[in-house]
Amino acid sequence: MDGCIFCKIVDKQIPSRIVYEDDSILAFHDIDPKAPVHVLVIPKQHITSINEVTQENSQVIAHIFATMPKIAQQLGIKDSGYRVVVNCGKDAGQAVNHLHYHVLGGRSLTWPPG
Ligand code: 5GP
Ligand code: ZN
């Protein structure tokens, strides 16, 4: 997708600190971390937001969640706990229009979020 910064990260046109990669997903450290551990997990294919998830493209969503424990283990937060956040649209403050899962951990997180 032209102009999408996360597609450029997938294509390695923009560098990132990758923590996990396979054929269909990529996980990398957030450039502006909101917790000691803040990683973004994305499908390599461009899906704009949760609103564009369909039965046809949902396999990669399942794969993201199936891989999440391995990523959390690698980051050292599997047992201490972590939060997975997806912002969708304006009211949630979605800034990058390429579906991404924030994985936050390494400290006690407050609830509810703002
Ligand atoms: P959103 O607000 O869309 O849910 O989250 C977008 C996230 O992407 C933010 O946490 C922001 O810090 C992160 N981000 C934006 N641009 C870049 C970038 O070029 N590299 C990395 N690693 N993270 C980015
Ligand atoms: Zn994209």
Side-chain angles (χ1 to χ4, degrees):
M1 185 82 171
D2 281 358
C4 172
I5 56 171
F6 285 0
C7 283
K8 287 181 179 161
I9 284 175
V10 168
D11 291 341
K12 314 281 167 62
Q13 292 171 31
I14 295 177
S16 68
R17 291 168 55 217
I18 293 171
V19 300
Y20 176 85
E21 178 171 20
D22 64 26
D23 286 347
S24 59
I25 70 174
L26 183 71
F28 54 96
H29 289 279
D30 195 292
I31 205 167
D32 181 20
K34 299 294 187 283
V37 176
H38 186 174
V39 160
L40 303 172
V41 187
I42 69 172
K44 286 190 167 179
Q45 70 188 101
H46 183 90
I47 300 172
T48 303
S49 76
I50 289 181
N51 284 343
E52 281 66 46
V53 176
T54 63
Q55 283 297 334
E56 287 67 38
N57 66 17
S58 63
Q59 209 181 338
V60 71
I61 307 300
H63 181 55
I64 284 173
F65 278 96
T67 311
M68 206 74 89
K70 194 194 306 189
I71 294 171
Q73 171 86 48
Q74 195 181 319
L75 294 167
I77 56 171
K78 186 179 177 191
D79 297 328
S80 51
Y82 55 97
R83 184 171 294 161
V84 180
V85 174
V86 185
N87 295 317
C88 180
K90 182 168 64 68
D91 278 359
Q94 182 178 2
V96 177
N97 293 323
H98 180 131
L99 179 63
H100 51 281
Y101 292 79
H102 297 259
V103 179
L104 299 144
R107 66 170 168 84
S108 186
L109 301 162
T110 57
W111 187 264

